[in-house]
Amino acid sequence: MKYVFLIIPCILCLWVPLYNRLEPTLWSIPFFYWFLLVLVPVSALFIWIAARIEGSDS
């Protein structure tokens, strides 16, 4: 189960057609940039969840 939480951010980061566009903009920042900026804390959250799941297994 923990591997699912680790693979989701990887898939989101590698799925370039998902975020390779300019619209919608956020505070005049194109979608491409703010999606990648949002992906950093989201990835950290998923890694934290995977670590918590691993901790409960052992």
Side-chain angles (χ1 to χ4, degrees):
M1 180 67 181
K2 65 183 176 188
Y3 298 111
V4 172
F5 287 103
L6 294 176
I7 199 76
I8 289 173
C10 293
I11 290 172
L12 286 175
C13 191
L14 293 175
W15 191 8
V16 176
L18 176 70
Y19 57 89
N20 188 15
R21 55 191 161 131
L22 298 175
E23 296 291 331
T25 60
L26 181 66
W27 299 302
S28 301
I29 300 173
F31 181 75
F32 178 81
Y33 293 112
W34 69 259
F35 180 79
L36 290 177
L37 289 173
V38 168
L39 195 58
V40 172
V42 169
S43 298
L45 177 68
F46 277 89
I47 292 169
W48 179 77
I49 291 171
R52 297 285 294 186
I53 289 173
E54 182 179 2
S56 66
D57 288 345
S58 57

